[in-house]
Amino acid sequence: MAETGSFQNQARSVDVTLDNGTHVCLRRIRHSDIGRITDGISQMSDQSRYLRFFSGSKTMPPSVVERLASVDGTHHLAWGVVNMDEPSHPAIAAAHVFRDTETSDAGEFAIAVLDPYHGQGVARILMLTIFLDCYCEGFRRLQIDILRNNKKASGLIRAVGAKAGAMEGPVAQYSLVIRDAISALQQMDSPRALQDIAAAFSAD
């Protein structure tokens, strides 16, 4: 296993195959993806949209969509997953990290995967990708706010080393050491694409 410090963030995209044979591409989100972001939010189930945005609205305010699309690669990192087997290459997942302050090594993490792709390892490969990018950009810790009834999300984030912190009403706050999360994901046997992602970011 490669050490965390031996990674670099020169990768702009990574093509991998899910364990079920689906060909996907993980790539950095850019502002021109704003339409894809809007479409993706509308395609989420009401429950998934509520669990991600704490709102059941089928559309997000333009300011929210604009913020998600405004990625600078330093203070806001974002990666998406597109299904390369579909003619239109639809977006099926996205993850974002916002740095707390300009000089902070901590940030806020959020992820969403469209319902038909749950349980296929998409969240894990996307998490490893953005965590590697974060580490190379100087992030060391992340905060994740999850609704307390979102058992799947809390289970996954705990599996990569997140620790529960403050509980504010229905929201549970978790803290995550990025180095520990990368190590935990690399040690997982599935999905197999995790190893391809680690290789794409390797500085060796």
Coordinates of all heavy atoms in Angstrom, one line a residue, residues 45-111:
S45 N -34.4 11.2 -5.3 CA -35.6 10.9 -4.7 C -35.9 12.0 -3.6 O -34.9 12.6 -3.1 CB -35.7 9.5 -4.0 OG -34.8 9.5 -2.9
D46 N -37.1 12.2 -3.2 CA -37.4 13.2 -2.2 C -36.6 12.9 -0.9 O -36.1 13.8 -0.2 CB -38.9 13.2 -1.9 CG -39.7 13.7 -3.0 OD1 -39.1 14.3 -3.9 OD2 -41.0 13.5 -3.0
Q47 N -36.5 11.6 -0.5 CA -35.8 11.2 0.7 C -34.3 11.5 0.5 O -33.7 12.1 1.5 CB -36.0 9.7 1.0 CG -35.3 9.3 2.3 CD -35.4 7.8 2.5 OE1 -35.6 7.0 1.6 NE2 -35.3 7.5 3.8
S48 N -33.7 11.1 -0.6 CA -32.3 11.4 -0.8 C -32.0 12.9 -0.8 O -31.0 13.3 -0.3 CB -31.8 10.7 -2.1 OG -31.8 9.3 -2.0
R49 N -32.9 13.6 -1.4 CA -32.7 15.1 -1.5 C -32.7 15.7 -0.1 O -31.9 16.6 0.3 CB -33.7 15.7 -2.4 CG -33.4 17.1 -2.8 CD -34.4 17.7 -3.8 NE -34.6 16.9 -4.9 CZ -35.7 16.1 -5.1 NH1 -36.7 16.1 -4.2 NH2 -35.8 15.4 -6.2
Y50 N -33.7 15.2 0.7 CA -33.8 15.7 2.1 C -32.6 15.3 2.9 O -32.0 16.1 3.7 CB -35.0 15.1 2.7 CG -35.2 15.5 4.2 CD1 -35.5 16.8 4.6 CD2 -35.0 14.5 5.2 CE1 -35.6 17.1 5.9 CE2 -35.2 14.9 6.5 CZ -35.4 16.2 6.9 OH -35.6 16.5 8.2
L51 N -32.1 14.1 2.7 CA -30.9 13.6 3.5 C -29.7 14.4 3.1 O -28.8 14.6 4.0 CB -30.7 12.1 3.3 CG -31.8 11.2 3.9 CD1 -31.5 9.7 3.5 CD2 -31.9 11.3 5.4
R52 N -29.5 14.8 1.8 CA -28.4 15.5 1.4 C -28.5 17.0 1.7 O -27.5 17.6 2.2 CB -28.2 15.3 -0.1 CG -27.2 16.3 -0.8 CD -25.8 16.2 -0.2 NE -24.9 17.1 -0.9 CZ -24.7 18.3 -0.6 NH1 -25.3 18.8 0.5 NH2 -23.8 19.1 -1.2
F53 N -29.6 17.6 1.4 CA -29.7 19.1 1.5 C -30.6 19.5 2.7 O -30.7 20.7 2.9 CB -30.3 19.7 0.3 CG -29.4 19.5 -0.9 CD1 -29.7 18.5 -1.9 CD2 -28.3 20.4 -1.1 CE1 -28.9 18.4 -3.0 CE2 -27.5 20.2 -2.3 CZ -27.8 19.2 -3.2
F54 N -31.1 18.6 3.5 CA -31.9 18.8 4.6 C -33.2 19.6 4.2 O -33.8 20.4 4.9 CB -31.2 19.6 5.7 CG -30.0 19.0 6.2 CD1 -29.2 19.6 7.1 CD2 -29.6 17.7 5.9 CE1 -28.0 19.0 7.6 CE2 -28.5 17.1 6.4 CZ -27.7 17.7 7.3
S55 N -33.6 19.4 2.9 CA -34.7 20.0 2.3 C -35.4 19.0 1.3 O -34.6 18.4 0.6 CB -34.3 21.3 1.6 OG -35.4 21.8 0.8
G56 N -36.7 19.0 1.3 CA -37.3 18.1 0.3 C -37.7 18.8 -1.0 O -38.2 18.1 -1.9
S57 N -37.3 20.0 -1.2 CA -37.6 20.7 -2.4 C -37.0 20.1 -3.6 O -35.8 19.7 -3.5 CB -37.2 22.2 -2.3 OG -37.4 22.9 -3.5
K58 N -37.7 20.0 -4.7 CA -37.1 19.4 -5.9 C -36.1 20.3 -6.6 O -35.4 19.8 -7.5 CB -38.3 19.0 -6.9 CG -39.1 17.9 -6.4 CD -40.1 17.4 -7.5 CE -41.0 16.2 -7.0 NZ -40.1 15.0 -6.8
T59 N -36.1 21.5 -6.3 CA -35.1 22.5 -6.8 C -34.5 23.2 -5.7 O -35.1 23.5 -4.7 CB -35.8 23.5 -7.8 OG1 -36.8 24.2 -7.1 CG2 -36.5 22.8 -9.0
M60 N -33.2 23.6 -5.9 CA -32.5 24.4 -4.9 C -32.4 25.8 -5.4 O -32.5 26.1 -6.6 CB -31.1 23.8 -4.8 CG -31.0 22.4 -4.1 SD -31.5 22.5 -2.4 CE -33.0 21.5 -2.5
P61 N -32.3 26.8 -4.5 CA -32.2 28.2 -4.9 C -31.0 28.3 -5.8 O -30.0 27.6 -5.7 CB -32.0 28.9 -3.6 CG -32.6 28.0 -2.5 CD -32.4 26.6 -3.0
P62 N -31.1 29.2 -6.8 CA -30.0 29.5 -7.7 C -28.6 29.7 -7.0 O -27.6 29.3 -7.5 CB -30.4 30.7 -8.5 CG -31.9 30.6 -8.5 CD -32.2 30.1 -7.1
S63 N -28.7 30.3 -5.8 CA -27.5 30.6 -5.1 C -26.8 29.3 -4.6 O -25.5 29.3 -4.6 CB -27.8 31.5 -3.8 OG -28.7 30.9 -3.0
V64 N -27.6 28.3 -4.3 CA -27.0 27.1 -3.8 C -26.4 26.3 -5.0 O -25.3 25.8 -4.9 CB -28.1 26.2 -3.2 CG1 -27.6 24.8 -2.9 CG2 -28.7 26.8 -1.9
V65 N -27.1 26.3 -6.1 CA -26.5 25.7 -7.3 C -25.2 26.4 -7.8 O -24.3 25.7 -8.1 CB -27.6 25.6 -8.4 CG1 -27.0 25.0 -9.7 CG2 -28.8 24.9 -8.0
E66 N -25.3 27.7 -7.7 CA -24.1 28.5 -8.1 C -22.9 28.1 -7.2 O -21.8 28.0 -7.7 CB -24.4 30.0 -8.1 CG -23.2 30.9 -8.4 CD -22.7 30.7 -9.8 OE1 -23.5 30.4 -10.7 OE2 -21.5 31.0 -10.0
R67 N -23.2 28.0 -6.0 CA -22.1 27.7 -5.0 C -21.5 26.3 -5.3 O -20.3 26.1 -5.3 CB -22.6 27.8 -3.6 CG -21.5 27.5 -2.5 CD -22.1 27.8 -1.1 NE -21.0 27.8 -0.1 CZ -20.9 26.8 0.8 NH1 -21.8 25.8 0.9 NH2 -19.9 26.8 1.7
L68 N -22.3 25.3 -5.6 CA -21.9 24.0 -5.9 C -21.1 24.0 -7.2 O -20.2 23.1 -7.4 CB -23.1 23.0 -6.0 CG -23.9 22.8 -4.7 CD1 -25.1 21.9 -5.0 CD2 -23.0 22.1 -3.7
A69 N -21.4 24.9 -8.1 CA -20.7 24.9 -9.4 C -19.4 25.7 -9.4 O -18.6 25.6 -10.3 CB -21.6 25.4 -10.5
S70 N -19.3 26.6 -8.4 CA -18.1 27.5 -8.3 C -16.9 26.8 -7.6 O -16.8 26.9 -6.4 CB -18.5 28.8 -7.6 OG -19.5 29.4 -8.3
V71 N -16.2 26.0 -8.4 CA -15.1 25.2 -7.9 C -13.8 25.9 -8.3 O -13.5 26.1 -9.5 CB -15.2 23.8 -8.4 CG1 -14.1 22.9 -7.8 CG2 -16.5 23.2 -8.1
D72 N -12.9 26.1 -7.3 CA -11.6 26.7 -7.6 C -10.4 25.8 -7.4 O -9.3 26.1 -7.7 CB -11.4 28.0 -6.8 CG -11.3 27.8 -5.3 OD1 -11.3 26.6 -4.9 OD2 -11.4 28.8 -4.5
G73 N -10.7 24.6 -6.9 CA -9.6 23.6 -6.7 C -8.7 23.9 -5.5 O -7.8 23.1 -5.3
T74 N -9.0 24.9 -4.8 CA -8.2 25.2 -3.6 C -9.1 25.3 -2.3 O -8.8 24.7 -1.3 CB -7.3 26.5 -3.8 OG1 -6.5 26.3 -4.9 CG2 -6.5 26.8 -2.5
H75 N -10.0 26.2 -2.4 CA -10.9 26.5 -1.3 C -12.2 25.7 -1.5 O -12.9 25.4 -0.5 CB -11.3 28.0 -1.2 CG -10.0 28.8 -1.0 ND1 -9.5 29.5 -2.0 CD2 -9.2 29.0 0.0 CE1 -8.4 30.2 -1.6 NE2 -8.2 29.8 -0.4
H76 N -12.5 25.3 -2.7 CA -13.7 24.5 -2.9 C -13.3 23.4 -3.9 O -12.9 23.7 -5.1 CB -14.9 25.3 -3.5 CG -16.0 24.5 -3.9 ND1 -17.1 25.0 -4.7 CD2 -16.4 23.2 -3.7 CE1 -18.0 24.1 -4.9 NE2 -17.6 23.0 -4.3
L77 N -13.3 22.1 -3.5 CA -12.9 21.0 -4.3 C -14.2 20.2 -4.6 O -15.0 20.0 -3.7 CB -11.9 20.1 -3.6 CG -10.4 20.5 -3.6 CD1 -10.2 21.9 -3.0 CD2 -9.5 19.5 -2.9
A78 N -14.3 19.7 -5.8 CA -15.5 19.0 -6.1 C -15.2 18.0 -7.2 O -14.6 18.3 -8.2 CB -16.7 19.9 -6.5
W79 N -15.7 16.8 -7.1 CA -15.6 15.7 -8.1 C -17.0 15.1 -8.4 O -17.8 15.0 -7.4 CB -14.7 14.6 -7.6 CG -13.2 14.9 -7.7 CD1 -12.5 15.8 -6.8 CD2 -12.2 14.5 -8.6 NE1 -11.2 15.8 -7.2 CE2 -11.0 15.1 -8.3 CE3 -12.3 13.6 -9.7 CZ2 -9.8 14.8 -9.0 CZ3 -11.2 13.4 -10.5 CH2 -9.9 14.0 -10.1
G80 N -17.2 14.7 -9.6 CA -18.4 14.1 -10.0 C -18.2 12.8 -10.6 O -17.0 12.5 -11.0
V81 N -19.2 11.9 -10.7 CA -19.1 10.6 -11.4 C -20.1 10.6 -12.5 O -21.3 11.0 -12.3 CB -19.4 9.5 -10.4 CG1 -19.2 8.1 -11.1 CG2 -18.5 9.6 -9.2
V82 N -19.7 10.3 -13.7 CA -20.6 10.2 -14.8 C -20.7 8.7 -15.4 O -19.6 8.0 -15.3 CB -20.3 11.1 -16.0 CG1 -20.4 12.6 -15.5 CG2 -18.9 10.8 -16.5
N83 N -21.8 8.3 -15.8 CA -22.0 6.9 -16.3 C -21.6 7.0 -17.8 O -22.3 7.5 -18.6 CB -23.4 6.5 -16.2 CG -23.7 5.0 -16.6 OD1 -22.8 4.5 -17.3 ND2 -24.8 4.5 -16.2
M84 N -20.5 6.3 -18.1 CA -20.0 6.4 -19.5 C -20.7 5.4 -20.4 O -20.6 5.4 -21.6 CB -18.5 6.1 -19.5 CG -17.7 7.1 -18.7 SD -17.9 8.8 -19.3 CE -17.0 8.7 -20.9
D85 N -21.5 4.5 -19.8 CA -22.3 3.5 -20.6 C -23.6 4.1 -21.2 O -24.2 3.4 -22.1 CB -22.6 2.2 -19.8 CG -21.3 1.4 -19.5 OD1 -20.3 1.6 -20.3 OD2 -21.3 0.6 -18.6
E86 N -24.0 5.2 -20.7 CA -25.2 5.9 -21.2 C -24.8 6.9 -22.2 O -23.8 7.6 -22.1 CB -25.9 6.6 -20.0 CG -26.5 5.6 -19.0 CD -27.6 4.7 -19.5 OE1 -28.3 5.2 -20.5 OE2 -27.8 3.6 -19.0
P87 N -25.6 7.0 -23.3 CA -25.2 7.9 -24.4 C -25.0 9.4 -24.0 O -24.1 10.0 -24.5 CB -26.4 7.8 -25.4 CG -27.0 6.5 -25.1 CD -26.8 6.3 -23.6
S88 N -25.8 9.8 -23.0 CA -25.6 11.2 -22.6 C -24.6 11.5 -21.5 O -24.4 12.6 -21.1 CB -27.0 11.8 -22.2 OG -27.5 11.0 -21.1
H89 N -24.0 10.4 -21.1 CA -23.0 10.4 -20.0 C -23.6 11.2 -18.8 O -23.0 12.2 -18.3 CB -21.7 11.1 -20.4 CG -21.0 10.3 -21.5 ND1 -20.0 10.8 -22.2 CD2 -21.2 9.0 -21.9 CE1 -19.5 9.9 -23.1 NE2 -20.3 8.8 -22.9
P90 N -24.7 10.7 -18.2 CA -25.3 11.5 -17.1 C -24.5 11.4 -15.8 O -23.8 10.5 -15.6 CB -26.7 10.7 -16.9 CG -26.3 9.3 -17.3 CD -25.4 9.5 -18.5
A91 N -24.6 12.5 -15.1 CA -24.0 12.6 -13.8 C -24.7 11.7 -12.8 O -26.0 11.7 -12.7 CB -23.9 14.0 -13.2
I92 N -24.0 10.9 -12.0 CA -24.7 10.0 -11.1 C -24.3 10.2 -9.6 O -24.9 9.7 -8.7 CB -24.4 8.5 -11.4 CG1 -22.9 8.2 -11.3 CG2 -24.9 8.2 -12.8 CD1 -22.6 6.7 -11.5
A93 N -23.3 11.1 -9.4 CA -22.9 11.3 -8.0 C -22.0 12.6 -8.0 O -21.4 12.9 -9.0 CB -22.1 10.1 -7.4
A94 N -21.9 13.2 -6.8 CA -21.0 14.4 -6.7 C -20.6 14.5 -5.2 O -21.3 14.1 -4.3 CB -21.7 15.6 -7.1
A95 N -19.4 15.0 -5.0 CA -18.9 15.2 -3.7 C -18.2 16.6 -3.7 O -17.5 17.0 -4.6 CB -17.9 14.1 -3.2
H96 N -18.4 17.3 -2.5 CA -17.8 18.6 -2.4 C -17.1 18.8 -1.1 O -17.5 18.2 -0.1 CB -18.9 19.7 -2.5 CG -19.7 19.7 -3.8 ND1 -19.4 20.7 -4.7 CD2 -20.6 18.9 -4.3 CE1 -20.2 20.5 -5.8 NE2 -21.0 19.4 -5.5
V97 N -16.0 19.6 -1.1 CA -15.4 20.0 0.2 C -15.1 21.5 0.1 O -14.6 22.0 -0.8 CB -14.0 19.3 0.4 CG1 -13.3 19.9 1.5 CG2 -14.3 17.8 0.6
F98 N -15.6 22.2 1.2 CA -15.4 23.6 1.3 C -14.4 23.9 2.4 O -14.7 23.5 3.6 CB -16.7 24.3 1.5 CG -17.7 24.2 0.4 CD1 -18.6 23.2 0.3 CD2 -17.7 25.2 -0.6 CE1 -19.5 23.1 -0.7 CE2 -18.6 25.1 -1.7 CZ -19.5 24.1 -1.7
R99 N -13.4 24.6 2.2 CA -12.4 24.9 3.2 C -13.0 25.9 4.2 O -13.7 26.9 3.8 CB -11.1 25.5 2.6 CG -9.9 25.5 3.5 CD -8.7 26.2 2.8 NE -8.2 25.5 1.7 CZ -7.3 24.5 1.7 NH1 -6.8 24.1 2.9 NH2 -6.9 23.9 0.6
D100 N -12.7 25.7 5.5 CA -13.3 26.5 6.5 C -12.9 28.0 6.4 O -13.7 28.9 6.4 CB -12.9 26.0 7.9 CG -13.6 24.7 8.3 OD1 -14.6 24.3 7.6 OD2 -13.2 24.1 9.3
T101 N -11.6 28.2 6.3 CA -11.1 29.6 6.0 C -10.0 29.5 5.0 O -9.5 28.4 4.6 CB -10.5 30.2 7.3 OG1 -9.4 29.5 7.7 CG2 -11.5 30.2 8.4
E102 N -9.5 30.6 4.5 CA -8.5 30.6 3.4 C -7.2 29.8 3.9 O -6.5 29.2 3.0 CB -8.1 32.0 3.0 CG -9.2 32.7 2.2 CD -8.7 34.0 1.6 OE1 -7.5 34.3 1.7 OE2 -9.6 34.6 0.9
T103 N -6.8 29.9 5.1 CA -5.6 29.2 5.6 C -5.8 28.0 6.4 O -4.9 27.4 6.9 CB -4.8 30.2 6.5 OG1 -5.6 30.6 7.6 CG2 -4.4 31.5 5.6
S104 N -7.1 27.5 6.5 CA -7.4 26.4 7.4 C -7.0 25.1 6.7 O -7.0 25.0 5.4 CB -8.9 26.4 7.7 OG -9.2 25.2 8.4
D105 N -6.7 24.0 7.5 CA -6.5 22.7 6.9 C -7.7 21.8 7.1 O -7.6 20.6 7.0 CB -5.2 22.0 7.5 CG -5.4 21.7 9.0 OD1 -6.5 22.1 9.6 OD2 -4.5 21.1 9.6
A106 N -8.8 22.5 7.5 CA -10.1 21.7 7.7 C -11.1 22.2 6.7 O -11.1 23.3 6.2 CB -10.6 21.9 9.2
G107 N -12.1 21.3 6.5 CA -13.2 21.7 5.6 C -14.4 20.9 5.9 O -14.5 20.1 6.8
E108 N -15.5 21.3 5.1 CA -16.8 20.6 5.3 C -17.0 19.7 4.0 O -16.9 20.1 2.9 CB -17.9 21.6 5.4 CG -19.3 21.0 5.6 CD -20.4 22.1 5.7 OE1 -20.0 23.3 5.8 OE2 -21.5 21.8 5.6
F109 N -17.4 18.5 4.3 CA -17.6 17.5 3.2 C -19.0 17.1 3.1 O -19.8 16.9 4.1 CB -16.7 16.2 3.6 CG -17.0 15.0 2.7 CD1 -16.6 15.0 1.4 CD2 -17.7 13.9 3.2 CE1 -16.9 13.9 0.6 CE2 -18.0 12.8 2.4 CZ -17.6 12.8 1.1
A110 N -19.5 16.9 1.8 CA -20.8 16.4 1.5 C -20.7 15.6 0.3 O -19.9 15.8 -0.6 CB -21.8 17.6 1.4
I111 N -21.6 14.6 0.2 CA -21.6 13.7 -1.0 C -23.1 13.3 -1.3 O -23.9 13.2 -0.4 CB -20.8 12.4 -0.7 CG1 -20.7 11.5 -1.9 CG2 -21.3 11.6 0.5 CD1 -19.7 10.4 -1.8

